[in-house]
Amino acid sequence: MRITNDTFKPLGGELSAHLFENHSTGPSRDLYWGIDFDFQPFKIRGRQEHPNCLVDWLKIPDAQAALKNPLFLSDTAQPHAEATCYIETQHNTAVNWEFNLRPSEEADTWDLDYALTIVGDGLEFTAAGPLELFGKTSLKFSSLIIVKENLVPKITTIEQARQAIAPFFETTELDCRDEDWRYTFPRRK
């Protein structure tokens, strides 16, 4: 099977963020966003594949306001972000990525136009050269996350979690759940 952009039919995905800092390696405390979207499964070499693309470590200043308007994100403007496509159960670096997000009429949903290049990292179908993907899909807000061990001082209560995230995002419309190793802030139902 020849793999092309037409092979990848987007199914939609999620927009989420986590509050993170690392005093040893340098990232200061901030809300780092992620985009994660799936494609319809397809068969390659007799095996069913469930391809997925994600970008982590996105910084969206004043995200609450920014996400109410069209937003352009790219690897040139976000050099610390990491883009990956998982195909054939392998991590494949994505480069030259551009995402245009637009608020949808549906609450907590964005329309996403995407363009990216998979460099392959050894995949047979990219032996002839990088694979360019482009298309449209939609993203739903999933949640904000705080991993308890990631912040100094460590977060041990729901109230501390709300206080830690407050400078970065208004959480009055979000629940806060204590989930063993992390706190999550999903939208209230």
Side-chain angles (χ1 to χ4, degrees), residues 91-105:
H91 165 279
N92 300 281
T93 303
V95 296
N96 303 326
W97 53 267
E98 294 182 347
F99 294 145
N100 282 298
L101 281 86
R102 291 175 315 286
S104 172
E105 291 181 16

Side-chain angles (χ1 to χ4, degrees), residues 64 144 162 165-166 169-175 185 188:
Q64 211 130 19
L144 307 177
R162 283 199 181 279
I165 213 159
F169 205 87
E170 171 58 52
T171 62
T172 54
E173 295 181 14
L174 304 177
D175 280 333
F185 291 84
R188 283 199 179 110

Side-chain angles (χ1 to χ4, degrees), residues 31 37 59 73 81 113 121-122 130 137 140 142 144-145 149 156 166 168 178 185-186:
L31 198 55
F37 58 100
K59 291 184 81 172
L73 302 167
D113 295 337
D121 300 350
T137 193
K140 285 287 276 180
S142 113
L144 307 177
I145 298 166
E149 301 291 319
T156 58
F168 305 97
D178 184 342
F185 291 84

Side-chain angles (χ1 to χ4, degrees), residues 81-92:
E82 297 175 1
T84 303
C85 288
Y86 288 93
I87 307 162
E88 293 192 272
T89 66
Q90 292 183 25
H91 165 279
N92 300 281

Side-chain angles (χ1 to χ4, degrees), residues 14-18 31-35 58-73 78 99-112 139-144 168-170 174 187:
E14 295 181 337
L15 178 67
S16 62
H18 69 280
L31 198 55
Y32 296 90
W33 290 84
I35 292 173
L58 293 165
K59 291 184 81 172
I60 302 175
D62 194 14
Q64 211 130 19
L67 291 170
K68 293 178 182 175
N69 298 295
L71 182 63
F72 176 76
L73 302 167
Q78 302 261 346
F99 294 145
N100 282 298
L101 281 86
R102 291 175 315 286
S104 172
E105 291 181 16
E106 185 180 342
D108 295 325
T109 304
W110 294 266
D111 295 322
L112 172 69
L139 303 173
K140 285 287 276 180
F141 173 77
S142 113
S143 72
L144 307 177
F168 305 97
F169 205 87
E170 171 58 52
L174 304 177
R187 180 70 64 193

Side-chain angles (χ1 to χ4, degrees), residues 27-84:
S28 59
R29 185 177 292 193
D30 208 337
L31 198 55
Y32 296 90
W33 290 84
I35 292 173
D36 185 348
F37 58 100
D38 297 322
F39 297 96
Q40 287 182 358
F42 58 83
K43 282 196 172 188
I44 185 168
R45 287 188 280 289
R47 199 173 61 223
Q48 190 80 352
E49 289 297 322
H50 299 272
N52 160 281
C53 283
L54 60 98
V55 180
D56 286 320
W57 303 105
L58 293 165
K59 291 184 81 172
I60 302 175
D62 194 14
Q64 211 130 19
L67 291 170
K68 293 178 182 175
N69 298 295
L71 182 63
F72 176 76
L73 302 167
S74 71
D75 58 348
T76 54
Q78 302 261 346
H80 49 277
E82 297 175 1
T84 303

Side-chain angles (χ1 to χ4, degrees), residues 19 29 31 144-148 151 153-171 174-179 181-185:
L19 188 64
R29 185 177 292 193
L31 198 55
L144 307 177
I145 298 166
I146 299 175
V147 175
K148 294 177 181 181
L151 302 181
K154 294 189 183 348
I155 304 297
T156 58
T157 68
I158 286 177
E159 185 54 37
Q160 288 175 344
R162 283 199 181 279
Q163 289 172 357
I165 213 159
F168 305 97
F169 205 87
E170 171 58 52
T171 62
L174 304 177
D175 280 333
C176 184
R177 299 180 185 156
D178 184 342
E179 298 181 349
W181 57 276
R182 67 183 185 172
Y183 293 99
T184 61
F185 291 84

